[in-house]
Amino acid sequence: MNKISRTDIPDESQLGALSDFFRIFGDQTRLRILYALAKTELCVCDLAKLLGASQSAVSHQLQVLRSHRLVKYRREGKTVFYSLDDGHIFSILDIGTKHLEEV
């Protein structure tokens, strides 16, 4: 057996943060938003049309995604455009999808 110690396992604080991070991916609406934003930046109204959801519901989910730093926004006049916060977010989605395709 390989040698492993407690220092090889993240501490409780890190595990809690990681658990919270992955919990965000547990909602299909949020996943659909992330996949859409992986293709292009979109405003709330365009996301709502694409997903067949209300603007209020999409705005709520975007707030959750923003609070966990999965999406960012930029303002152009009165319109706010959303995009993935960085390339790691798409990588996480892509790796998960590929893993499921292997089964």
Side-chain angles (χ1 to χ4, degrees), residues 28-52:
Q28 289 185 13
T29 300
R30 288 192 292 262
L31 286 172
R32 292 170 67 206
I33 290 170
L34 291 172
Y35 273 104
L37 296 178
K39 295 292 183 185
T40 188
E41 70 175 8
L42 295 163
C43 65
V44 173
C45 59
D46 289 339
L47 274 166
K49 286 179 199 171
L50 180 66
L51 303 179

Side-chain angles (χ1 to χ4, degrees), residues 67-87:
S67 70
H68 286 84
R69 295 182 20 226
L70 278 86
V71 300
K72 60 185 176 184
Y73 71 95
R74 69 173 181 86
R75 187 175 299 276
E76 191 173 292
K78 292 183 179 183
T79 307
V80 177
F81 291 94
Y82 291 87
S83 60
L84 295 184
D85 190 71
D86 62 43

